[in-house]
């Protein structure tokens, strides 16, 4: 069973492994995140948070984390929860409407989601997946 992400009815298969993000990239992403959060808060207009479920199926995973704009790219702040012997991992977040970039960290390796509706290049030559949370 491939990994997937669900949000607002969309199903997305996760990506291929990439090299680890270095500290300079993480610092840059945090700066970009601050600007994006300001944009998102001005766009949200008090519409309220929406629950978004991030789900990943990964038989080889020993540990999985979710990181992105929503947690300032802190690599170990959002551990995903493993469900049984099925090797699938899940994390629910309540997010304001807006646009968020994210990645999974599987066994210490940052991966993007190539089947996401939108992946965008970052300044370090790798890709970030995009999540749109609608009001």
């Amino acid at each position: 069973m491939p990994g997937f992400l669900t949000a607002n009815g969309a199903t997305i298969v996760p990506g291929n492994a990439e090299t680890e993000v270095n500290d300079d990239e993480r610092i840059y992403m945090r700066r970009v995140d601050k600007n994006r959060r300001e944009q998102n808060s001005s766009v949200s207009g008090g519409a309220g948070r929406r629950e978004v479920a991030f789900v990943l199926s990964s038989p080889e995973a020993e540990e999985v984390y979710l990181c992105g704009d929503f947690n300032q790219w802190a690599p170990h702040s959002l551990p995903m929860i493993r469900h049984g012997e099925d090797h699938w991992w899940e994390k629910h977040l309540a997010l304001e409407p807006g646009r968020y970039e994210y990645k999974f960290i599987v066994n210490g390796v940052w991966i993007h989601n190539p089947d996401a509706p939108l992946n965008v290049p970052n300044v370090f030559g790798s890709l970030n997946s995009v999540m749109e949370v609608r009001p």
Side-chain angles (χ1 to χ4, degrees):
M1 174 178 181
F4 58 92
L5 163 80
T6 58
N8 299 330
T11 301
I12 307 162
V13 179
N16 298 330
E18 295 179 8
T19 58
E20 280 194 41
V21 174
N22 64 35
D23 287 335
D24 290 338
E25 185 171 359
R26 194 171 299 113
I27 290 166
Y28 172 80
M29 289 175 174
R30 285 183 180 148
R31 270 191 245 126
V32 169
D33 171 56
K34 181 181 178 219
N35 294 336
R36 194 169 288 122
R37 278 184 298 161
E38 290 168 0
Q39 291 171 354
N40 285 344
S41 66
S42 66
V43 169
S44 69
R49 294 178 178 261
R50 302 282 183 218
E51 183 172 304
V52 180
F54 294 86
V55 179
L56 173 71
S57 177
S58 179
E60 71 281 356
E62 295 295 322
E63 62 181 5
V64 179
Y65 294 92
L66 172 66
C67 67
D69 295 334
F70 37 77
N71 72 341
Q72 299 157 341
W73 297 94
H76 299 289
S77 70
L78 292 174
M80 296 182 73
I81 298 168
R82 178 184 231 158
H83 292 279
E85 299 295 319
D86 295 333
H87 305 290
W88 64 278
W89 302 74
E90 183 175 37
K91 187 67 176 180
H92 290 258
L93 299 178
L95 298 175
E96 292 287 334
R99 179 183 185 273
Y100 300 91
E101 293 183 20
Y102 69 94
K103 288 189 177 195
F104 296 112
I105 305 173
V106 178
N107 298 336
V109 178
W110 294 64
I111 63 171
H112 73 281
N113 187 338
D115 296 320
L118 180 62
N119 284 298
V120 295
N122 60 42
V123 298
F124 297 96
S126 63
L127 295 174
N128 295 337
S129 299
V130 175
M131 165 66 68
E132 294 277 348
V133 179
R134 306 249 181 240

